[in-house]
Amino acid sequence: MTGRTDDEPELDSLTLTGLEVFANHGVFDFERAEGQRFVIDVTLWLDTAPAAGSDDLAKTVHYGELAEAINEAASTDPVDLIETLAERIAGVVLANEPVQRVRVVVHKPDAPITVPFTDVSVGITRSRSVPAA
């Protein structure tokens, strides 16, 4: 994403926290066979002024539909890495026209780690491609 100019609006944020998905991602056979819980946090940056000014849902992102799309993307087509899963989810979010940037954190609270731990997660930030001038 390029730097903001004076005629560009500040971006607002919308956050979905703690979306729980049961899926079969992982590098080990038992993870693929048994599945496990993943928790997803997504923050998207967009200009909410058009929606706020018109009170029109069509001018923003419908977070209920977005949550369903994230759930679908996260619960199908198993992958080895949560990095890959985070990238997939970022693509789903950026497919929504008003979204300019997204931060995705994928938590794997039941990861197969042999020492006591609370959580393991991967976070990525991606921006909408800006066409070359």
Side-chain angles (χ1 to χ4, degrees):
M1 187 168 179
T2 61
R4 192 179 79 78
T5 63
D6 289 336
D7 59 339
E8 289 179 308
E10 288 287 334
L11 292 177
D12 308 306
S13 66
L14 185 154
T15 302
L16 296 170
T17 304
L19 295 172
E20 290 197 27
V21 176
F22 190 86
N24 299 76
H25 306 295
V27 296
F28 298 112
D29 290 342
F30 68 88
E31 292 179 291
R32 293 292 183 105
E34 298 169 19
Q36 63 191 292
R37 181 173 57 115
F38 295 84
V39 180
I40 302 163
D41 303 326
V42 176
T43 300
L44 42 140
W45 285 269
L46 67 163
D47 181 6
T48 63
S54 64
D55 200 29
D56 184 356
L57 179 60
K59 294 183 179 179
T60 189
V61 175
H62 187 305
Y63 51 78
E65 291 177 358
L66 180 61
E68 291 175 13
I70 291 168
N71 182 69
E72 177 67 21
S75 63
T76 58
D77 297 326
V79 295
D80 289 344
L81 305 177
I82 57 176
E83 292 87 342
T84 306
L85 182 57
E87 195 73 40
R88 178 189 297 168
I89 293 165
V92 166
V93 176
L94 287 170
N96 289 273
E97 183 64 33
V99 179
Q100 296 302 307
R101 188 170 67 244
V102 63
R103 170 102 175 129
V104 177
V105 180
V106 176
H107 302 265
K108 191 173 179 180
D110 304 316
I113 298 175
T114 59
V115 297
F117 76 103
T118 301
D119 188 25
V120 62
S121 65
V122 167
I124 66 169
T125 302
R126 298 294 182 264
S127 297
R128 179 175 298 285
S129 297
V130 178

